[in-house]
Amino acid sequence: GLHGAKDGINFFEDIVFAAAANIGFERTNVYLQPIPVLKQFRLGGYSFIRGYREDAIQATSKNVFGTLSFVNYRGELRIPVSGAFGTALFIDAGDLYIDKFQLFSQKMHGSTGIGLRYNTPVGPVSLDLAYKLHFDPVDSDIFRIHFAIGSF
């Protein structure tokens, strides 16, 4: 059956579906000055969209004078294998928007993949192999491996 869980939804006692949705908005607060490049949102990497290099997805312009926003969705099916070992199937998607905001778009960057999990006393260790759903000239690798300590 279906059960509530601390960090997701349990299916059949041990299988967990975890999901996250993140949105963000930023706007320059200085008249006629762009949002500083160092403060602009970036997506990509283990924390946002696996399959992309860390911070690979950036605003199309370095001079953002209005609003910069992002949306990011993540879903992961966690399946125990034996003892502290497990596996996961995942899908991630997201995008950046200048002077607009969309919850969904056909042009979103996305990836899917499989991962290995090992639960330690200080938290899970993850090794994921991600596949980009669409070719992206910004980050042309089709596959990417991510290693992390902790979960989203």
Side-chain angles (χ1 to χ4, degrees), residues 7 46 78 84 116-126 147-152:
D7 59 352
Y46 180 80
R78 298 173 183 160
L116 298 175
R117 303 288 181 266
Y118 180 72
N119 291 317
T120 71
V122 295
V125 175
S126 304
F147 172 79
I149 298 173
S151 59
F152 70 90

Side-chain angles (χ1 to χ4, degrees), residues 13-136:
E13 300 299 324
D14 294 332
I15 298 173
V16 174
F17 177 72
N22 300 296
I23 60 172
F25 300 91
E26 62 185 347
R27 184 172 182 78
T28 182
N29 61 356
V30 180
Y31 182 69
L32 295 179
Q33 293 293 316
I35 298 170
V37 172
L38 289 174
K39 293 189 175 194
Q40 291 181 10
F41 292 130
R42 294 168 181 81
L43 297 175
Y46 180 80
S47 298
F48 292 101
I49 305 172
R50 290 166 277 195
Y52 286 83
R53 287 186 329 271
E54 198 73 30
D55 297 337
I57 302 164
Q58 301 184 17
T60 54
S61 170
K62 298 295 180 197
N63 294 315
V64 178
F65 288 92
T67 302
L68 182 62
S69 60
F70 81 90
V71 63
N72 175 229
Y73 304 106
R74 306 182 72 191
E76 185 171 284
L77 188 63
R78 298 173 183 160
I79 305 163
V81 175
S82 177
F85 287 95
T87 189
L89 304 171
F90 63 85
I91 187 164
D92 300 337
D95 211 350
L96 296 171
Y97 304 101
I98 298 174
D99 293 331
K100 66 179 179 176
F101 178 74
Q102 293 179 269
L103 286 174
F104 299 98
S105 144
Q106 291 182 354
K107 296 180 183 178
M108 276 191 176
H109 302 272
S111 67
T112 189
I114 188 166
L116 298 175
R117 303 288 181 266
Y118 180 72
N119 291 317
T120 71
V122 295
V125 175
S126 304
L127 183 65
D128 293 338
L129 176 63
Y131 170 77
K132 284 194 200 103
L133 296 176
H134 305 288
F135 174 77
D136 193 334

